[in-house]
Amino acid sequence: MADESDYGAFTEKFIIQPSSSPDQELPLKGLTFAVKDIFDMEGYVTGFGNPDWARTHPAATSTAPAVLAVLSGGATCMGRTVMDEMAYSINGENKHYGTPTNICSPDRLPGGSSSGSAVAVGGMLVDFSLGTDTGGSVRVPASYCGILGFRPSHGAVSTIGVIPLAQSLDTVGWFARDADILNRVGRVLLQLPEVEPVKPTHITIAEDCFQLLSIPSQRVTSVIIKSVEKLFGGHILKYVCLGDYVKDNVPTLKHFKGERLEDQEYNVAPLAALSSAYRLLERSEFKNNHGEWVSIVKPDLGPGISERVWAAVRSTDENIDVCHSVKTELRVALTALLGVSIPLGTYDNLPVSVSLLAKHGSDGFLLNLVETLYGTLKEQIDVAQELSY
């Protein structure tokens, strides 16, 4: 069960020192990190968030390259973190190991499936942590816990030695409390050289997405707009209805019926259809990866997870080729499969965040942009919060 002294973030604590000389000047020297219990680490059983999985699998014989990279970069590992069972949830709960405490709002969920990794950073137990993001499993807990979370371009960081959920969508992501460390970790994982930040030529705001917020959209957009105006000038700001753009540029999406969302000023139905295609692809690949094990072992799974897992195992693979076509068309149309979650203070004492997207492969550019923007964003957040009181 969860250990209250560490906010329930860890399933197992241990120390693995950097695989480099202490005299070397390395980008992550002196930093500590934690690892989601989905990464292989030599000599340890990868638990995948479930005791039955741990019981039926041997200890790993090698360490995932992503973990080796940050160890080689000079960081010290402090242990493994709690995750949603089989990574198949976005809530951050775990029946067996407990639900890590959301430091920002202890009576709320921390978000998942990389819940413990987010809480370990938010609770200042480590400087950064590793997680995975298939459909938001880094970005969501980062948002809920008021910290930075980064999902890189698909395929940019090796997923070897990481238990798959849906490999067409899986990525290795990471958390940090400040933009400098987020950037440094990213440059190690992505093997990027140090370069001077490049000024963005345009920043586009997806107006329809902000209209879906349960808080005043102006509370979020004004912070971004004022920060961009101060740093780069308002002329680079552009506005788009993402739903309409997706509808016009992802023709295969017509095969999916999205939820009808009435009384909306913007056309968000294509985004709901996109979500349907994503869920179908994720379910199919989860079944292919783990259906046999689930059917044989019949693991003890928590509420919500159990229903979702068995629905996947019993599903038929309908329209999977169409799902892959949607994914390909979307990448071409948006060139925006990369995202980073940035905290924007609080509203009604709850954390608020925004996701920034850049075209596929522009990870280094986005990391530099976040570091450039972050200080000004915090200034604007302070102003916005003062005005709300």
Side-chain angles (χ1 to χ4, degrees):
M1 297 298 291
D3 183 348
E4 293 182 4
S5 66
D6 61 19
Y7 308 110
F10 288 89
T11 59
E12 188 177 9
K13 289 183 176 179
F14 50 79
I15 295 177
I16 299 179
Q17 298 290 350
S19 55
S20 52
S21 166
D23 298 327
Q24 286 181 273
E25 286 303 319
L26 296 167
L28 306 182
K29 183 177 180 179
L31 299 182
T32 58
F33 72 100
V35 181
K36 182 178 182 177
D37 194 17
I38 198 171
F39 291 82
D40 283 348
M41 299 179 72
E42 185 178 2
Y44 296 89
V45 175
T46 309
F48 206 22
N50 180 269
D52 286 326
W53 182 278
R55 176 178 58 82
T56 56
H57 288 79
T61 57
S62 60
T63 299
V67 178
L68 289 175
V70 292
L71 286 169
S72 297
T76 299
C77 178
M78 306 303 290
R80 291 184 178 280
T81 56
V82 175
M83 59 176 283
D84 291 39
E85 295 176 77
M86 304 186 79
Y88 208 9
S89 175
I90 208 74
N91 293 335
E93 300 171 291
N94 190 298
K95 167 185 175 179
H96 309 282
Y97 303 112
T99 299
T101 301
N102 184 332
I103 310 302
C104 286
S105 185
D107 61 335
R108 303 288 182 120
L109 293 172
S113 63
S114 306
S115 56
S117 290
V119 169
V121 171
M124 299 187 182
L125 304 174
V126 293
D127 297 303
F128 70 93
S129 61
L130 299 182
T132 57
D133 189 310
T134 303
S137 289
V138 164
R139 291 163 293 165
V140 169
S143 173
Y144 285 12
C145 295
I147 59 174
L148 292 155
F150 196 93
R151 173 197 167 96
S153 298
H154 186 261
V157 179
S158 173
T159 54
I160 293 172
V162 182
I163 302 175
L165 171 60
Q167 48 267 54
S168 292
L169 304 162
D170 294 342
T171 63
V172 170
W174 57 98
F175 301 90
R177 288 187 300 277
D178 67 72
D180 171 66
I181 291 178
L182 189 84
N183 198 342
R184 286 158 61 189
V185 173
R187 296 197 169 277
V188 168
L189 287 171
L190 295 159
Q191 301 178 42
L192 297 174
E194 289 292 336
V195 295
E196 288 297 317
V198 177
K199 180 179 177 180
T201 57
H202 64 273
I203 291 178
T204 301
I205 293 178
E207 294 183 287
D208 49 336
C209 295
F210 285 102
Q211 294 302 317
L212 298 175
L213 291 173
S214 58
I215 67 172
S217 61
Q218 187 67 14
R219 165 62 181 82
V220 180
T221 56
S222 64
V223 170
I224 301 166
I225 291 169
K226 290 176 181 177
S227 297
V228 170
E229 288 175 342
K230 181 175 180 179
L231 288 169
F232 309 116
H235 65 283
I236 71 168
L237 284 166
K238 301 181 186 303
Y239 299 85
V240 68
C241 176
L242 187 59
D244 284 342
Y245 185 81
V246 167
K247 180 181 178 182
D248 294 340
N249 292 277
V250 187
T252 307
L253 201 58
K254 66 179 181 289
H255 293 281
F256 296 90
K257 281 190 175 182
E259 304 163 16
R260 294 190 63 82
L261 301 174
E262 305 296 342
D263 301 322
Q264 294 287 343
E265 181 180 350
Y266 294 93
N267 180 19
V268 295
L271 302 182
L274 192 62
S275 176
S276 297
Y278 155 77
R279 288 196 300 269
L280 185 59
L281 179 57
E282 179 187 55
R283 185 179 71 185
S284 173
E285 294 193 348
F286 177 87
K287 176 185 176 180
N288 290 338
N289 290 325
H290 307 303
E292 183 179 1
W293 180 83
V294 171
S295 298
I296 293 171
V297 175
K298 295 179 174 55
D300 180 16
L301 299 166
I305 293 278
S306 179
E307 291 81 357
R308 192 174 303 114
V309 164
W310 281 106
V313 171
R314 293 165 180 151
S315 66
T316 56
D317 290 343
E318 300 173 0
N319 294 334
I320 299 307
D321 289 342
V322 179
C323 292
H324 284 287
S325 296
V326 168
K327 180 173 179 281
T328 300
E329 291 172 2
L330 183 66
R331 177 179 290 191
V332 171
L334 301 180
T335 60
L337 291 185
L338 178 150
V340 57
S341 182
I342 302 178
L344 295 184
T346 61
Y347 183 86
D348 281 347
N349 295 318
L350 296 174
V352 177
S353 293
V354 66
S355 280
L356 300 185
L357 306 176
K359 70 178 182 180
H360 187 268
S362 297
D363 305 77
F365 164 78
L366 187 57
L367 284 165
N368 280 335
L369 178 62
V370 170
E371 188 169 0
T372 301
L373 267 177
Y374 196 48
T376 307
L377 281 172
K378 288 195 288 187
E379 292 174 7
Q380 297 301 326
I381 291 163
D382 292 340
V383 172
Q385 289 179 334
E386 287 175 7
L387 292 175
S388 66
Y389 292 136

